[in-house]
Amino acid sequence: MKDTISTLISESELKNRIKELGAEISRDYEGKSVVLICILKGAVYFLTELSQSITVPVTIDFMQVSSYGSGMVSTGNIKIKRDHEENIEGRHVIVVEDIVDTGYTLTALMEVLGLEKPASIKLAALLEKPERRVKDVKIDYCGFSVPDKFVVGFGLDYDQKYRNLPYIGVVENDG
Ligand code: 5GP
């Protein structure tokens, strides 16, 4: 079966918007430093691009989480497969995520990280799907809202494929 991918957000649109987010973060955190916690694997491309657009000092760290349960819908119970290494107590943290869908994963994750007493904690998400939201998670820095379609590229996968596409696309199965 061959997949056809139609472009939803082009490479230049992504890069321009991420630059804007980086400038906004640089203004908001002027005189401070920030710990960026990238959620593996999907947010890696967003993290590299975003961090290069931020002018205040940044530290980068990584976490990998998975939802318990099966299927395409996350359940709200997260399992930490890889934890961050930096001590975040008293520090300004921005969680960097690829996409907020139902909001279960990020609601649970922000709660868990909040227990480590950061000075502040915010969320940057490249994409969000407002139609699918169940949990009211606040996205402080949002790249784009996308329709209720399964998207790939710029870090996002379909069965581990397509992460390396430089744009965001929608997969259509040709059958
Ligand atoms: P949530 O807990 O917000 O429902 O799920 C967020 C996670 O679901 C994302 O980090 C991502 O791994 C996955 N996800 C949700 N929608 C999509 C999508 O359209 N494409 C891809 N590739 N992953 C998605």
Side-chain angles (χ1 to χ4, degrees), residues 52-102:
Q52 288 180 334
S53 303
I54 297 176
T55 52
V56 299
V58 297
T59 306
I60 60 170
D61 207 336
F62 299 89
M63 283 183 86
Q64 189 164 17
V65 300
S66 63
S67 301
Y68 287 109
S70 58
M72 304 265 283
V73 181
S74 70
T75 58
N77 297 310
I78 55 162
K79 180 177 167 199
I80 296 177
K81 290 167 76 179
R82 181 203 191 279
D83 209 349
H84 64 91
E85 291 174 343
E86 295 281 323
N87 178 3
I88 59 168
E89 186 175 346
R91 300 176 72 184
H92 298 288
V93 172
I94 301 178
V95 175
V96 180
E97 174 63 310
D98 52 3
I99 184 165
V100 176
D101 184 20
T102 61

Side-chain angles (χ1 to χ4, degrees), residues 39 42 67 72-76 97-106 129 132-133 146 149-153 155-158:
I39 309 306
S67 301
M72 304 265 283
V73 181
S74 70
T75 58
E97 174 63 310
D98 52 3
I99 184 165
V100 176
D101 184 20
T102 61
Y104 278 124
T105 307
L106 262 295
K129 280 186 195 165
R132 300 250 314 158
R133 190 66 38 76
V146 294
K149 300 220 161 115
F150 195 78
V151 294
V152 295
L156 288 141
D157 74 307
Y158 172 56

Side-chain angles (χ1 to χ4, degrees), residues 21-72:
L21 293 178
E24 204 181 323
I25 290 171
S26 304
R27 280 195 300 275
D28 291 353
Y29 289 85
E30 204 182 327
K32 298 175 185 151
S33 60
V34 56
V35 184
L36 301 175
I37 298 186
C38 169
I39 309 306
L40 295 170
K41 300 176 187 170
V44 166
Y45 292 76
F46 180 36
L47 171 86
T48 53
E49 203 75 31
L50 182 68
S51 59
Q52 288 180 334
S53 303
I54 297 176
T55 52
V56 299
V58 297
T59 306
I60 60 170
D61 207 336
F62 299 89
M63 283 183 86
Q64 189 164 17
V65 300
S66 63
S67 301
Y68 287 109
S70 58
M72 304 265 283

